[in-house]
Amino acid sequence: MWPTLKRGVAAGGLVGVVYGLFTAVVVHPLTASLAEIAHHGGHGHDAGAHSHAVSETTTAVVSVGSGVLWGIFLGAALGLAYYFLEPAVPGSSATRPYVLAGAGFLTVSVGPWLALPPVAPGMEHQLAASTRLVLYAGLMLAGAVLAVLGTALYRRAGDRRRGVAAGLAPIVAAVAVVPLLTPTVVTAGGLSTDLVAAYRGLVVFGQAGLWFGLATAFRWLGPAPTNLDLTPHETQI
Amino acid sequence: MSQTETVHDRIEQARTELTPTQIAVGLALAASLGFVLMFLQDPMVHDAMHTFRHGAGITCH
């Protein structure tokens, strides 16, 4: 258990530094600029409503540091989950970290985003924080259920290609349909639809990239993968 | 590692590898981290993480 956890933390440290740089160079300047636009360009907002408890510089430093820690935290979680769940994760030793990271992304980010989409600065949530906290936990559970369901469908399908299609089907369907069914819980906050879409795209890209990087680093730090380690299940199909 | 292993085997393996003290320390650490995360709702810390939370798609205001 210890070597796998160590490998996860190391992968998290490497990827966390890259994600911290991404936060410093892209996310922070963009978010801060959008906050400016939302404060000064939007109507009906009085300046006092959005005043922050700390300075701009502190926000920058702490946000970048949080990015690094976020990478380490998710890396540790991936390592620990990999130790326990590896036998249940489909794929070869080379692809399993990616499958598990995908399940992590689904649980930690995509699930909650189904009903609580990422918001740009200036956009306001309409639900109370306590309601959202409960909702967030429920949606994470929904994301995890989707991942388990996808794995089960993959195993039931006859061959690998059909298995991948069957496994991805409920996930793609949920991502396509659920956001349309759930009520809008955020206000536009004076930003254009295009800008909000672009900002959301960046957030999704950042988190997906983070998980992809974690899986890559985790695999790279582990033993060299061989072609002979297919599970009995996969040798059958 | 053998490929006929199951998740159950891994849990058993962890049980034999780790002493009860180690498990207790691990759980205590995880619980304390959770507590600190709750404490981060404090406005000063919370605001300082502002752009990070937006970037990660986790927002609370």
Side-chain angles (χ1 to χ4, degrees):
Chain A
M1 174 149 107
W2 183 236
T4 321
L5 181 59
K6 224 165 39 177
R7 179 145 64 106
V9 172
L14 286 174
V15 177
V17 169
V18 178
Y19 184 72
L21 281 174
F22 175 70
T23 307
V25 175
V26 182
V27 178
H28 178 72
L30 186 68
T31 309
S33 309
L34 287 185
E36 283 288 300
I37 297 174
H39 289 185
H40 301 299
H43 20 196
H45 284 290
D46 60 307
H50 287 279
S51 65
H52 292 294
V54 291
S55 78
E56 215 34 35
T57 321
T58 315
T59 309
V61 172
V62 175
S63 289
V64 172
S66 304
V68 178
L69 292 176
W70 183 232
I72 295 174
F73 175 74
L74 292 182
L78 181 70
L80 204 58
Y82 196 80
Y83 173 79
F84 286 111
L85 300 179
E86 191 197 3
V89 177
S92 65
S93 69
T95 53
R96 256 182 238 131
Y98 291 96
V99 175
L100 192 62
F105 179 51
L106 208 56
T107 306
V108 175
S109 292
V110 178
W113 289 341
L114 288 178
L116 298 171
V119 296
M123 298 170 76
E124 301 280 350
H125 277 287
Q126 287 166 338
L127 300 171
S130 52
T131 317
R132 275 186 283 131
L133 208 60
V134 176
L135 200 55
Y136 207 96
L139 288 163
M140 281 181 73
L141 188 67
V145 167
L146 271 180
V148 172
L149 181 68
T151 307
L153 290 174
Y154 171 86
R155 293 208 188 281
R156 275 175 62 110
D159 60 87
R160 198 187 175 89
R161 186 176 295 178
R162 246 187 295 165
V164 171
L168 288 178
I171 297 163
V172 173
V175 170
V177 174
V178 177
L180 299 177
L181 300 178
T182 49
T184 312
V185 289
V186 286
T187 58
L191 298 174
S192 75
T193 324
D194 285 350
L195 200 53
V196 171
Y199 190 81
R200 283 186 176 153
L202 180 77
V203 171
V204 174
F205 171 81
Q207 297 307 300
L210 177 60
W211 282 102
F212 185 81
L214 279 176
T216 306
F218 186 78
R219 178 191 156 188
W220 180 64
L221 291 168
T226 63
N227 291 322
L228 301 170
D229 59 359
L230 294 173
T231 63
H233 172 76
E234 278 157 333
T235 5
Q236 280 164 22
I237 58 175
Chain B
M1 67 195 77
S2 153
Q3 287 305 317
T4 47
E5 269 185 312
T6 62
V7 174
H8 188 257
D9 292 338
R10 289 292 172 92
I11 295 170
E12 284 305 309
Q13 193 185 326
R15 242 185 223 161
T16 49
E17 264 181 31
L18 300 170
T19 64
T21 322
Q22 281 172 325
I23 294 173
V25 169
L27 290 177
L29 267 176
S32 61
L33 278 176
F35 170 77
V36 169
L37 279 177
M38 286 296 166
F39 167 75
L40 290 186
Q41 299 287 340
D42 180 73
M44 199 173 82
V45 188
H46 190 82
D47 264 11
M49 291 170 78
H50 183 249
T51 48
F52 162 73
R53 285 183 292 101
H54 271 291
I58 315 162
T59 37
C60 322
H61 64 82

